[in-house]
């Protein structure tokens, strides 16, 4: 029996079929593995399929927002023009890919903002809140509290709460 990672490597050889293959996945841990293996130089069709997938859970959405690709964070900070400036050549040379980028950012940011991503099997620590974690030292707790207070100036709590 092949693992999701092995299946992903086989599917990666045929990029055109990947979004359809992702739609057929049945759980959020498989989506997590796909993102682990994904080469972001291949565009946004696969990440868009992941954030649109009904099994994309809150932890994976947070991971995509904070750890994997900063495009959605840039979109969050300036939803009008930042992505258009960052991807100006893509918008000019590959409008379909630019539309996927915008759709990915909008889907991810709005899904987190409106808290539409369900809780699932995946876990992700945003590095904010979670001050009661017994593994934190007093110093780590103070740093995390300060970091959280600062982040709340720019992000709604829904983007900061870890999914543990």
């Amino acid at each position: 029996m092949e693992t999701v990672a092995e299946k992903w490597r086989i599917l990666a050889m045929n990029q055109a079929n990947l979004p359809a293959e992702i739609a057929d996945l049945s759980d959020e841990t498989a989506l997590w593995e796909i993102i682990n293996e994904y080469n972001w130089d291949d565009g946004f069709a696969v990440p868009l399929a992941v954030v649109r997938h009904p099994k994309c859970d809150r932890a994976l959405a947070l991971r995509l927002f904070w750890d994997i690709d900063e495009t959605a964070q840039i979109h969050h900070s300036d939803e009008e023009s930042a992505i258009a400036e960052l991807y100006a050549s893509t918008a000019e040379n590959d409008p379909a890919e630019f539309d996927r980028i915008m759709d990915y950012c909008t889907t991810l940011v709005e899904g987190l903002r409106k808290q539409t991503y369900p809780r699932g099997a995946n876990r992700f620590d945003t590095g904010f809140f979670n001050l009661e974690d017994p593994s934190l030292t007093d110093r780590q707790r103070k740093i995390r509290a300060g970091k959280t207070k600062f982040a709340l100036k720019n992000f709604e709590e829904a983007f900061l709460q870890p999914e543990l």
Side-chain angles (χ1 to χ4, degrees):
M1 185 172 160
E2 63 187 357
T3 66
V4 171
E6 290 165 341
K7 182 178 179 183
W8 173 254
R9 281 191 265 292
I10 293 165
L11 291 172
M13 294 177 202
N14 187 357
Q15 289 287 322
N17 291 338
L18 288 176
E21 293 287 338
I22 289 169
D24 289 341
L25 293 173
S26 62
D27 75 43
E28 62 273 20
T29 58
L31 294 172
W32 186 281
E33 287 185 48
I34 295 256
I35 291 300
N36 279 347
E37 298 292 325
Y38 188 65
N39 179 351
W40 285 77
D41 292 338
D42 291 334
F44 281 79
V46 168
L48 176 58
V50 168
V51 297
R52 284 181 170 171
H53 197 288
K55 290 289 187 170
C56 181
D57 65 10
R58 186 170 180 280
L60 179 54
L62 286 167
R63 180 173 177 235
L64 284 162
F65 186 82
W66 288 110
D67 271 4
I68 303 295
D69 180 70
E70 66 185 18
T71 306
Q73 285 181 43
I74 293 166
H75 179 71
H76 176 276
S77 67
D78 180 6
E79 293 176 19
E80 294 298 318
S81 61
I83 298 301
E85 290 175 24
L86 183 64
Y87 289 98
S89 70
T90 303
E92 184 177 326
N93 299 320
D94 190 352
E97 179 63 10
F98 181 74
D99 288 345
R100 280 189 289 275
I101 293 167
M102 289 301 296
D103 200 6
Y104 164 79
C105 291
T106 302
T107 301
L108 182 58
V109 168
E110 288 305 308
L112 286 168
R113 182 174 280 141
K114 294 177 181 176
Q115 300 182 35
T116 59
Y117 289 110
R119 296 189 87 174
N122 295 316
R123 300 289 172 252
F124 182 75
D125 186 356
T126 59
F128 305 103
F129 291 103
N130 196 27
L131 301 175
E132 63 283 346
D133 182 346
S135 70
L136 295 176
T137 65
D138 285 341
R139 184 173 187 276
Q140 290 170 323
R141 201 169 279 109
K142 286 178 185 176
I143 290 170
R144 188 174 272 236
K147 185 177 166 187
T148 300
K149 183 177 179 181
F150 182 76
L152 282 167
K153 294 177 183 179
N154 298 309
F155 296 98
E156 300 95 317
E157 191 173 316
F159 291 87
L160 304 175
Q161 283 289 346
E163 189 65 38
L164 305 172

